[in-house]
Amino acid sequence: MSLNGQQIKQIIFKIAQMIDENKMYLTELDAAIGDGDHGINMSKGFQAVIDKIKDDNGDNIGDMLKKVSMALIANVGGASGPLYGTAFMKAGMWVGNRREISIEDYYNMLLEALNGIKARGRASIGEKTMVDSLEPAINELKVSIDNKFNELECLEKMVNSAKLGMENTKNIVATKGRASYLGERSIGHLDPGAVSCYLILKTIFEEVKKIKG
Amino acid sequence: MSLNGQQIKQIIFKIAQMIDENKMYLTELDAAIGDGDHGINMSKGFQAVIDKIKDDNGDNIGDMLKKVSMALIANVGGASGPLYGTAFMKAGMWVGNRREISIEDYYNMLLEALNGIKARGRASIGEKTMVDSLEPAINELKVSIDNKFNELECLEKMVNSAKLGMENTKNIVATKGRASYLGERSIGHLDPGAVSCYLILKTIFEEVKKIKG
Amino acid sequence: MKKVINNPNYVVEEMINGLIKAYPEYLKRVDNYNVIVRKSAPNKKVALVSGGGSGHEPAHAGYVGYGMLDAAVLGEVFTSPTPDQIYEAIKAVDAGDGVLLIIKNYTGDVMNFEITKEMAEMEGIKVESVIVNDDVAVENSLYTAGRRGIAGTVFVHKIAGAMAEEGASLEEVKRVAQKVINNVRSMGMALTPCTVPAAGKPNFTLQEDEMEIGMGIHGEPGTHREKIKPADEIVEHMLNKIFDDMPLSENDDVAVMVNGLSGTPLMELYIVNNKVNDVLKSKGVNVYRTYVGEYMTSLEMAGFSISILKLDEELKRLLDAKANTVAFKVL
Amino acid sequence: MKKVINNPNYVVEEMINGLIKAYPEYLKRVDNYNVIVRKSAPNKKVALVSGGGSGHEPAHAGYVGYGMLDAAVLGEVFTSPTPDQIYEAIKAVDAGDGVLLIIKNYTGDVMNFEITKEMAEMEGIKVESVIVNDDVAVENSLYTAGRRGIAGTVFVHKIAGAMAEEGASLEEVKRVAQKVINNVRSMGMALTPCTVPAAGKPNFTLQEDEMEIGMGIHGEPGTHREKIKPADEIVEHMLNKIFDDMPLSENDDVAVMVNGLSGTPLMELYIVNNKVNDVLKSKGVNVYRTYVGEYMTSLEMAGFSISILKLDEELKRLLDAKANTVAFKVL
Ligand SMILES: Nc1ncnc2c1ncn2[C@@H]1O[C@H](COP(=O)(O)OP(=O)(O)O)[C@@H](O)[C@H]1O
Ligand SMILES: Nc1ncnc2c1ncn2[C@@H]1O[C@H](COP(=O)(O)OP(=O)(O)O)[C@@H](O)[C@H]1O
Ligand SMILES: [Mg+2]
Ligand SMILES: [Mg+2]
Ligand SMILES: [Mg+2]
Ligand SMILES: [Mg+2]
């Protein structure tokens, strides 16, 4: 698909806007099984992201993503800050000073991000966290790429899989994060981090579609 | 009138009973302009009085009244404990080892009690306290005795005067005790101590009437 | 009534037991009395006795120990202790050098302590007393019960206690206690009422958006009731009332106590102190020491009081002297 | 929301300012950061850094000083501080002998502190960390986020701080901190919720006659909710949960902390301690020290926690070592 730094920057801006629009929704999800701040946290963090990269010319994708990471780490607070921060950090480290990324690069960046999140959060799939939308999405993306589907199709399948994973968090008893204190009582609720992660993947797909479609 | 120690003891028992019956009333009066414990305090104190003198044979009136005083001081708590305690102490000191008291003795005992209360509370008439029922009552008693009215008549006039004084506390701004913190807002309320004092004088009169009538 | 208690009638008894069990290295109880004395005091020194109704913890038992009180007498909740109790405290701590009674200015307290003083004097014990009246919410005049005693009392305990520990005479200890009283002013406010356990219901009511300014530590009425305002405005108003009563000049040294009534979190007390400090600095007043915490509480009431103590060199020295009590320590 | 504040968004900032203005002899702030450090620390010693969300005052800034912490990092209310803040604290206090991070076991805290640890290590600073997880209301298993860190943390500050003050190495300080963690268990309960200022409404609801057993210090759910019971029954239940997790034997020595969450008056905490002490004594356990007060609060929540720390000779010595901080002093 070959996205350049400027395009990636635009996608990040769109993500920030989307998070802001979903601030109350994410916060309400978190109020049900956490401490009711996920939307507030994320929106604060992505505001800082915009500030941090608005003057970045996108020449060095790796550096830009590290800036995103630092902004998230320093401003989101809570659990999701270090997790998303680590994700962007790992993605940025993988991409290094490449000036464009392909769908395969994108896959590798996501995989690095996932591994970063899992290591940081000591989490695996099925614990009712953002991992539950991210991991199936990445697996699906891999399969689609291996099947040589066209790029938009790959991304679309990835988003659908993220959505299924996200919806499935309703059926999971949380064993990580604040929701784990609820035990069985966490069943029936979506995990806010899984939702924000799905929304981010969806935004990426939609933006790439606009650029490429 | 010549009351002996046994008769005085019976009167004190009646006072205790009357206080117990008026416990809630006195407490409600105190709740309006104080801390809502006057009835509770007094009733606790007079229960202790009964305990303390129930085996007293009444031979030494002064000693018996000192016991009453100590029981009140040690058990009423709050402002009214030391005040009523001082009153009985002073009355007991005045009566000493007399074995019977006349109406003149009774007057002198009350006068001592009043002076004790005023000294202890640094109070004078018109400050919305028990002094406001006791002092006019004593003055009236003095006039009646000087006029050579019969004893029951003297006591009745005393009680009527106490009642007027007590009722008049409604019109007074408190300048002593807790009610003084209310300033003008204390107007319109009876002073609980003035009421308990009136009720005690009234009980004494009624009991003497039963004994002598 | 939401309280962690067993029986409303035994709260004081169980509290005393829990306190002694917690701090046997500091405190012991006089058998059968609601009197708490120092575990160990020097044989020869002026003894300090304070007390009052319970419900103001850590006052006063928390201030029994090295450099502060020798005994605290605990009445029922919000009720003055009786003379038999106070007398027992005096007897327990008198070492022949005399006893100073530190009394808060409430009619019941004053009378019960004064009766006891007369009793002790009759027994040949040298007893003096001071009456703390720092609460400027109440006007002080010959024609009222006078200002109430509130959190400023803790400064009296600290400073008179340090003086006694130095070995000063009863007259000297009384003099310095009275100096503190003359130089300390306080004012409080409340956001919520409190419930005396035996009563079972709150002693007054405040609307969800109301506060009472000048509220006493037993819920006695203050100067007025109004809608809640920002902390800074509340502080400014309270300080002005204090300054009206005790004007401060540039370069005056003061100690500040921001005292929580119990329900108010420390976070809010620090926010209050932020403004108190600013106002004092803007007047050129030098804040020598600040104490933020719960020193004289009112059951579970939310609210706070501010106390300002004007200092001279003697008071500074005594304020900073070593103290080792459960609730007040100076190393 | 009844609070003495100015603006919900600035409570942490104003609190920090009020705290520093109150205790300039103990504390200073790292400019532009929510980091509070000791006014003066020896040049060479292992540095202790703790922190977490605000709203738990006096934790943790109140424990900065001689014999305890070197720095506290203050997050927003009930929100972990971010790595840039924690990093600043580490840099401010590292004297070359290494830094121990004392972390309470919450996902956000653990991750933010660990990221920072990696950042500091990359800069060549020797950093170790321990994770406090004393709350037995949560089951500890590989398959949960594990027990939460609550008031037992204060024992870690005290004991590791004393060890560092003695001049021990980072490894030694970490060892003793971990020993405390292995030997301390706590459990809490709540009578009322609390309100995060920025949220403006309570974080949960409890009926007038209900309490929640096992409640966390941010209002995290506990083991169950039930009708209020007498204090003694509540205490017995909580202690049993603690003993289930950490059995005690006859002649064991323990330290006890009865910690108020802020809204509960000291009177009730003493009543609680009365029972705690009785239960321990009836098991033949020796109560070496007791601490009753507000050590780790939860805004204005009413409730309390009990912490039991099993002691050996080393822990006793360090517990009793001199400490001089705003909220914890040992003479
Ligand atoms: N250990 C973990 N591993 C992965 N994700 C986690 C972990 N803990 C929490 N999360 C994610 O973080 C989300 C909560 O984020 P947020 O509300 O911003 O933080 P906090 O819980 O500290 O308030 C959860 O919904 C979950 O998806
Ligand atoms: N200084 C005083 N002199 C005389 N009487 C007083 C004085 N102060 C209070 N009283 C009387 O005491 C009564 C209150 O008694 P009580 O409620 O038992 O004590 P408290 O006010 O300590 O709760 C008042 O109604 C008043 O009559
Ligand atoms: Mg959250
Ligand atoms: Mg959070
Ligand atoms: Mg009363
Ligand atoms: Mg009373």
Side-chain angles (χ1 to χ4, degrees):
Chain A
M1 62 188 184
S2 101
L3 293 171
N4 64 28
Q6 276 299 336
Q7 290 169 322
I8 292 176
K9 180 172 155 181
Q10 287 317 311
I11 295 177
I12 292 169
F13 277 33
K14 276 287 173 189
I15 292 174
Q17 185 188 327
M18 175 282 294
I19 288 288
D20 199 56
E21 286 160 11
N22 285 281
K23 182 167 152 177
M24 292 320 296
Y25 173 54
L26 293 171
T27 294
E28 276 159 29
L29 291 175
D30 193 31
I33 55 168
D35 59 350
D37 61 2
H38 186 57
I40 299 168
N41 295 346
M42 291 290 282
S43 145
K44 196 166 61 155
F46 274 97
Q47 278 321 111
V49 164
I50 291 180
D51 259 24
K52 193 87 167 238
I53 65 168
K54 64 173 185 293
D55 300 325
D56 194 299
N57 59 18
D59 281 353
N60 188 319
I61 300 175
D63 274 3
M64 187 171 70
L65 293 182
K66 281 182 209 157
K67 285 187 201 163
V68 172
S69 161
M70 290 313 297
L72 292 176
I73 288 178
N75 293 286
V76 175
S80 51
L83 290 167
Y84 278 117
T86 301
F88 279 91
M89 177 65 71
K90 295 290 175 176
M93 282 163 70
W94 190 90
V95 81
N97 51 14
R98 284 176 181 75
R99 298 182 69 103
E100 285 196 347
I101 61 167
S102 68
I103 186 92
E104 287 82 11
D105 294 335
Y106 176 64
Y107 164 74
N108 281 309
M109 287 160 69
L110 276 191
L111 189 61
E112 284 294 306
L114 173 66
N115 290 336
I117 288 176
K118 289 171 75 172
R120 177 66 64 209
R122 301 189 184 86
S124 31
I125 195 153
E127 303 207 81
K128 201 179 185 105
T129 70
M130 50 182 69
V131 172
D132 291 319
S133 39
L134 188 53
E135 185 157 323
I138 292 174
N139 292 340
E140 185 66 31
L141 181 60
K142 173 85 173 112
V143 171
S144 305
I145 292 173
D146 289 351
N147 282 336
K148 305 265 195 295
F149 292 156
N150 88 43
E151 292 174 348
L152 286 180
E153 217 174 328
C154 288
L155 293 182
E156 184 162 20
K157 282 176 172 293
M158 169 194 83
V159 171
N160 289 339
S161 180
K163 183 159 190 241
L164 286 176
M166 175 269 280
E167 281 164 353
N168 185 46
T169 59
K170 268 204 183 169
N171 310 316
I172 302 177
V173 177
T175 53
K176 281 288 177 299
R178 283 179 204 283
S180 72
Y181 303 130
L182 283 169
E184 299 284 335
R185 284 175 283 173
S186 65
I187 285 187
H189 298 278
L190 290 173
D191 174 64
V195 174
S196 61
C197 183
Y198 155 70
L199 290 174
I200 290 171
L201 295 175
K202 179 161 158 272
T203 304
I204 294 172
F205 162 58
E206 285 166 353
E207 290 310 303
V208 173
K209 198 158 78 179
K210 277 190 213 154
I211 296 168
K212 303 289 163 186
Chain B
M1 60 189 186
S2 100
L3 293 171
N4 64 28
Q6 276 299 336
Q7 289 168 321
I8 292 176
K9 180 172 158 181
Q10 287 317 313
I11 295 176
I12 292 169
F13 277 34
K14 275 288 172 187
I15 292 174
Q17 186 188 326
M18 175 280 296
I19 289 286
D20 200 55
E21 286 161 12
N22 284 283
K23 183 168 153 177
M24 293 320 295
Y25 173 54
L26 293 172
T27 294
E28 275 159 29
L29 290 176
D30 194 31
I33 54 168
D35 59 351
D37 61 2
H38 186 57
I40 300 168
N41 294 346
M42 290 290 283
S43 143
K44 198 166 60 156
F46 274 97
Q47 279 321 111
V49 164
I50 291 179
D51 261 23
K52 194 87 167 239
I53 65 168
K54 64 173 185 294
D55 299 327
D56 194 299
N57 58 19
D59 280 355
N60 188 319
I61 300 175
D63 273 4
M64 186 173 70
L65 292 182
K66 281 182 209 158
K67 283 187 201 163
V68 172
S69 162
M70 290 314 295
L72 293 176
I73 287 177
N75 292 286
V76 174
S80 50
L83 290 168
Y84 278 116
T86 300
F88 278 90
M89 177 64 73
K90 296 288 175 178
M93 282 164 69
W94 189 90
V95 80
N97 52 15
R98 284 177 182 76
R99 298 179 69 101
E100 284 195 346
I101 60 168
S102 67
I103 185 92
E104 286 81 11
D105 294 336
Y106 176 64
Y107 163 74
N108 281 310
M109 286 160 70
L110 276 191
L111 189 62
E112 283 295 305
L114 172 67
N115 289 336
I117 289 176
K118 289 171 76 172
R120 178 65 65 210
R122 301 188 184 88
S124 31
I125 195 152
E127 302 207 80
K128 201 179 184 104
T129 71
M130 49 181 71
V131 172
D132 292 317
S133 38
L134 189 54
E135 186 158 323
I138 291 174
N139 292 340
E140 185 66 31
L141 181 60
K142 172 84 173 111
V143 171
S144 305
I145 292 174
D146 290 351
N147 283 336
K148 305 264 193 297
F149 292 156
N150 87 43
E151 291 173 349
L152 286 179
E153 215 174 329
C154 288
L155 293 182
E156 184 161 21
K157 281 178 172 293
M158 169 193 82
V159 172
N160 288 340
S161 180
K163 183 158 190 245
L164 286 177
M166 175 269 279
E167 281 164 355
N168 185 45
T169 60
K170 267 204 182 167
N171 309 316
I172 301 178
V173 178
T175 52
K176 282 288 177 299
R178 284 180 202 282
S180 72
Y181 303 131
L182 284 169
E184 299 285 335
R185 283 175 284 172
S186 65
I187 285 186
H189 297 278
L190 289 174
D191 174 63
V195 173
S196 61
C197 183
Y198 155 70
L199 289 173
I200 290 171
L201 294 175
K202 179 159 159 272
T203 304
I204 294 172
F205 163 58
E206 285 166 355
E207 290 310 304
V208 173
K209 197 159 80 179
K210 276 189 216 155
I211 296 169
K212 302 290 160 185
Chain C
M1 177 174 62
K2 278 199 144 176
K3 288 187 188 287
V4 184
I5 59 174
N6 292 299
N7 180 327
N9 297 316
Y10 303 142
V11 290
V12 174
E13 177 68 18
E14 293 184 5
M15 168 180 78
I16 292 175
N17 291 335
L19 173 63
I20 300 284
K21 287 172 190 170
Y23 301 104
E25 66 274 29
Y26 283 93
L27 303 173
K28 61 182 189 231
R29 178 180 190 164
V30 176
D31 284 345
N32 303 317
Y33 287 89
N34 290 353
V35 172
I36 290 178
V37 298
R38 272 166 86 159
K39 184 59 171 258
S40 51
N43 279 336
K44 297 286 292 170
K45 89 178 225 342
V46 170
L48 269 65
V49 174
S50 189
S54 291
H56 306 300
E57 293 67 32
H60 296 279
Y63 304 120
V64 171
Y66 183 91
M68 292 183 80
L69 301 180
D70 294 276
V73 197
L74 289 76
E76 286 304 311
V77 177
F78 290 1
T79 302
S80 166
T82 50
D84 53 322
Q85 301 278 340
I86 304 168
Y87 189 51
E88 215 52 40
I90 292 175
K91 281 197 305 183
V93 299
D94 174 44
D97 297 289
V99 178
L100 180 70
L101 305 178
I102 300 171
I103 311 168
K104 296 195 297 308
N105 191 31
Y106 297 95
T107 307
D109 286 54
V110 170
M111 291 193 296
N112 281 296
F113 273 86
E114 288 189 347
I115 286 191
T116 318
K117 190 178 161 205
E118 291 159 22
M119 285 163 61
E121 279 164 352
M122 272 158 44
E123 297 296 316
I125 304 179
K126 234 168 53 181
V127 184
E128 288 288 348
S129 63
V130 291
I131 298 180
V132 188
N133 62 346
D134 51 326
D135 185 355
V136 300
V138 182
E139 251 171 84
N140 196 22
S141 100
L142 275 178
Y143 307 106
T144 68
R147 294 192 310 248
R148 299 175 290 233
I150 56 173
T153 310
V154 179
F155 284 130
V156 183
H157 297 346
K158 175 67 189 74
I159 286 172
M163 191 81 181
E165 210 70 59
E166 283 185 356
S169 68
L170 179 57
E171 290 62 38
E172 277 290 283
V173 176
K174 180 178 175 174
R175 176 189 60 76
V176 85
Q178 190 59 52
K179 194 204 266 187
V180 176
I181 294 169
N182 296 343
N183 286 288
V184 67
R185 295 292 186 281
S186 304
M187 178 138 171
M189 65 81 73
L191 289 177
T192 67
C194 60
T195 299
V196 173
K201 50 176 203 268
N203 50 4
F204 59 95
T205 48
L206 276 169
Q207 299 304 310
E208 217 357 80
D209 60 350
E210 261 183 354
M211 59 180 179
E212 174 128 358
I213 300 294
M215 173 70 60
I217 55 173
H218 311 89
E220 301 95 337
T223 55
H224 64 287
R225 202 168 270 204
E226 60 179 341
K227 298 254 174 274
I228 296 183
K229 288 184 177 161
D232 287 358
E233 283 178 42
I234 301 171
V235 167
E236 230 160 331
H237 174 79
M238 289 165 72
L239 284 176
N240 282 335
K241 284 285 286 183
I242 289 176
F243 300 152
D244 282 351
D245 204 276
M246 181 180 72
L248 291 178
S249 321
E250 230 180 294
N251 296 322
D252 275 351
D253 290 313
V254 299
V256 172
M257 177 173 284
V258 177
N259 170 58
L261 295 183
S262 168
T264 290
L266 210 37
M267 169 181 274
E268 297 174 32
L269 300 183
Y270 285 126
I271 291 173
V272 165
N273 184 59
N274 188 39
K275 182 66 181 180
V276 172
N277 196 280
D278 286 352
V279 172
L280 289 167
K281 273 190 194 137
S282 75
K283 292 177 76 81
V285 170
N286 170 33
V287 178
Y288 179 74
R289 285 281 172 268
T290 303
Y291 306 85
V292 181
E294 293 179 356
Y295 292 93
M296 172 95 56
T297 62
S298 188
L299 293 171
E300 74 276 18
M301 198 187 283
F304 68 95
S305 64
I306 304 171
S307 301
I308 306 283
L309 168 64
K310 229 193 303 190
L311 296 167
D312 62 11
E313 292 311 311
E314 180 181 47
L315 297 187
K316 282 190 214 169
R317 169 174 59 82
L318 296 167
L319 192 59
D320 285 345
K322 184 176 143 185
N324 195 5
T325 71
V326 168
F328 203 113
K329 293 183 172 72
V330 179
L331 276 89
Chain D
M1 177 174 64
K2 278 198 145 177
K3 288 185 188 289
V4 183
I5 60 174
N6 291 299
N7 181 327
N9 297 316
Y10 302 140
V11 289
V12 174
E13 176 68 18
E14 293 184 4
M15 168 179 78
I16 292 175
N17 291 334
L19 173 63
I20 300 283
K21 287 173 191 169
Y23 301 105
E25 66 275 28
Y26 284 92
L27 305 171
K28 61 182 188 229
R29 178 181 190 165
V30 176
D31 285 344
N32 303 317
Y33 287 89
N34 291 353
V35 171
I36 290 177
V37 299
R38 271 167 85 159
K39 183 60 171 258
S40 50
N43 280 338
K44 297 288 291 172
K45 90 178 225 340
V46 170
L48 269 66
V49 174
S50 190
S54 292
H56 307 301
E57 294 66 33
H60 296 279
Y63 304 120
V64 170
Y66 184 92
M68 293 183 80
L69 301 179
D70 295 277
V73 197
L74 289 77
E76 285 304 311
V77 178
F78 290 1
T79 302
S80 166
T82 50
D84 51 322
Q85 301 278 341
I86 304 169
Y87 190 52
E88 214 54 39
I90 292 175
K91 281 198 304 185
V93 298
D94 174 45
D97 296 288
V99 177
L100 181 70
L101 305 179
I102 300 171
I103 311 169
K104 295 194 300 305
N105 191 30
Y106 298 95
T107 307
D109 286 55
V110 171
M111 292 193 296
N112 282 296
F113 274 85
E114 289 190 346
I115 287 190
T116 318
K117 189 177 164 206
E118 291 160 22
M119 285 164 60
E121 279 163 353
M122 272 158 44
E123 298 295 316
I125 305 179
K126 236 168 50 182
V127 184
E128 288 288 349
S129 63
V130 292
I131 298 180
V132 188
N133 61 346
D134 52 324
D135 186 355
V136 299
V138 181
E139 250 171 85
N140 195 23
S141 102
L142 276 176
Y143 307 106
T144 68
R147 294 192 310 249
R148 300 175 290 232
I150 55 174
T153 310
V154 179
F155 284 131
V156 183
H157 296 347
K158 175 67 189 75
I159 286 173
M163 191 82 182
E165 209 70 57
E166 283 185 355
S169 69
L170 180 57
E171 291 63 37
E172 278 290 283
V173 176
K174 179 178 175 174
R175 176 189 60 75
V176 86
Q178 190 59 52
K179 195 204 266 186
V180 175
I181 293 169
N182 296 342
N183 286 287
V184 67
R185 295 290 185 283
S186 305
M187 178 139 171
M189 66 80 73
L191 289 178
T192 66
C194 60
T195 298
V196 173
K201 50 177 203 268
N203 49 4
F204 59 94
T205 48
L206 277 169
Q207 299 304 310
E208 215 359 77
D209 59 350
E210 262 183 353
M211 60 179 178
E212 175 129 358
I213 301 292
M215 173 70 60
I217 55 171
H218 312 90
E220 300 95 338
T223 55
H224 65 286
R225 201 168 272 204
E226 60 180 341
K227 298 253 174 274
I228 297 184
K229 288 185 179 160
D232 287 358
E233 283 178 43
I234 301 172
V235 167
E236 230 160 331
H237 174 81
M238 288 165 73
L239 284 176
N240 282 335
K241 285 286 285 184
I242 289 177
F243 300 150
D244 283 351
D245 205 275
M246 181 181 72
L248 291 179
S249 320
E250 229 179 293
N251 296 323
D252 274 351
D253 290 312
V254 299
V256 172
M257 178 173 283
V258 177
N259 171 58
L261 295 184
S262 167
T264 290
L266 209 37
M267 168 181 275
E268 296 173 32
L269 300 183
Y270 284 126
I271 291 173
V272 165
N273 184 59
N274 188 40
K275 182 67 180 178
V276 172
N277 196 279
D278 286 352
V279 172
L280 289 168
K281 273 190 195 138
S282 75
K283 293 175 76 80
V285 170
N286 169 34
V287 178
Y288 179 74
R289 286 280 174 269
T290 303
Y291 306 85
V292 181
E294 294 181 354
Y295 292 94
M296 172 93 58
T297 62
S298 189
L299 293 172
E300 73 277 15
M301 200 187 283
F304 68 96
S305 62
I306 303 171
S307 301
I308 306 284
L309 169 65
K310 229 191 308 188
L311 296 167
D312 61 10
E313 293 311 310
E314 181 181 47
L315 296 187
K316 282 189 214 170
R317 170 174 60 82
L318 295 168
L319 192 59
D320 286 344
K322 183 176 142 184
N324 195 5
T325 71
V326 168
F328 203 113
K329 293 182 172 72
V330 179
L331 276 89

